[in-house]
Amino acid sequence: MSKSFAEIHRENYRAQANAYGIDEAFISLLVESFYSKVRADEELGPIFDNVIKDNWAEHLGKMKQFWGAIALKTGEYHGRPMPAHMRLKNVTPAHFEKWLALFAENLEEISPTPEAKAFFNDRAQNIARSLMMGMFYNPELDLRGE
Ligand code: HEM
């Protein structure tokens, strides 16, 4: 059987990621090192610990699947990020700024190439923006014309 277009696309995408130094081992390092920083952060740490409690191993596993699905097209992540964040009632846009700053700081320390760093920062910024839209944006406020 010949390969499907999707399969060829996935293979090319993964080969490009690998050329940037992005593979399963790097994603594992990225997730472990980033969440060590998050847990040590006095603002973000308690927000995560309150929800995740003793289930950090499970959360980190899920986050490795999430980033693997994005960067390597593994297809292994089946969660739903939006409702998971909509439930967090005490989170503010300032927390997202801090999250993104820590994420960038971590990539600065561990990225194998500038392309890997740019790839993950871009994706994180886009996803953060869309989560913030869901959590904080109220179109009524714009439509009132005040
Ligand atoms: C201040 C910013 C953020 C906070 C406080 C936060 C907090 C959390 C918490 C507490 C959970 C666990 C939810 C649960 O198990 O019910 C979670 C899950 C998750 N977060 Fe975040 N998050 C933030 C930003 C982000 C960003 C920017 C991304 C992506 C780039 C992200 C991706 C995810 C994913 C994929 C999950 C797993 C959702 C699932 O499948 O259950 N988070 N987050």
Side-chain angles (χ1 to χ4, degrees), residues 31-85:
V31 168
E32 298 279 345
S33 52
F34 174 61
Y35 286 99
S36 300
K37 284 183 188 286
V38 165
R39 296 187 75 179
D41 185 85
E42 57 184 28
E43 286 173 66
L44 293 182
I47 297 174
F48 280 83
D49 280 327
N50 272 339
V51 179
I52 293 168
K53 301 193 169 73
D54 294 340
N55 299 319
W56 272 97
E58 192 190 318
H59 183 66
L60 297 184
K62 196 188 279 183
M63 296 312 296
K64 289 174 194 178
Q65 289 187 329
F66 172 74
W67 284 113
I70 291 174
L72 302 172
K73 299 209 181 285
T74 58
E76 282 170 8
Y77 173 74
H78 303 290
R80 298 178 61 219
M82 191 60 90
H85 295 88

Side-chain angles (χ1 to χ4, degrees), residues 2-138:
S2 64
K3 285 179 186 166
S4 68
F5 177 78
E7 251 175 297
I8 293 167
H9 175 63
R10 203 159 42 237
E11 285 175 8
N12 288 342
Y13 193 92
R14 203 170 296 171
Q16 184 62 67
N18 290 160
Y20 292 157
I22 301 169
D23 57 13
E24 304 271 354
F26 177 68
I27 288 172
S28 179
L29 171 68
L30 170 74
V31 168
E32 298 279 345
S33 52
F34 174 61
Y35 286 99
S36 300
K37 284 183 188 286
V38 165
R39 296 187 75 179
D41 185 85
E42 57 184 28
E43 286 173 66
L44 293 182
I47 297 174
F48 280 83
D49 280 327
N50 272 339
V51 179
I52 293 168
K53 301 193 169 73
D54 294 340
N55 299 319
W56 272 97
E58 192 190 318
H59 183 66
L60 297 184
K62 196 188 279 183
M63 296 312 296
K64 289 174 194 178
Q65 289 187 329
F66 172 74
W67 284 113
I70 291 174
L72 302 172
K73 299 209 181 285
T74 58
E76 282 170 8
Y77 173 74
H78 303 290
R80 298 178 61 219
M82 191 60 90
H85 295 88
M86 297 288 274
R87 282 197 289 271
L88 307 174
K89 295 302 175 205
N90 298 320
V91 173
T92 65
H95 291 126
F96 273 88
E97 289 300 316
K98 189 74 197 273
W99 191 107
L100 288 168
L102 280 185
F103 195 76
E105 175 188 297
N106 186 45
L107 282 168
E108 202 59 58
E109 291 164 7
I110 64 165
S111 291
T113 59
E115 290 85 357
K117 181 165 72 180
F119 178 89
F120 285 101
N121 274 327
D122 282 0
R123 294 309 188 283
Q125 281 163 16
N126 287 339
I127 297 163
R129 195 176 308 124
S130 92
L131 290 174
M132 279 193 278
M133 285 284 187
M135 293 166 79
F136 309 122
Y137 178 64
N138 177 358

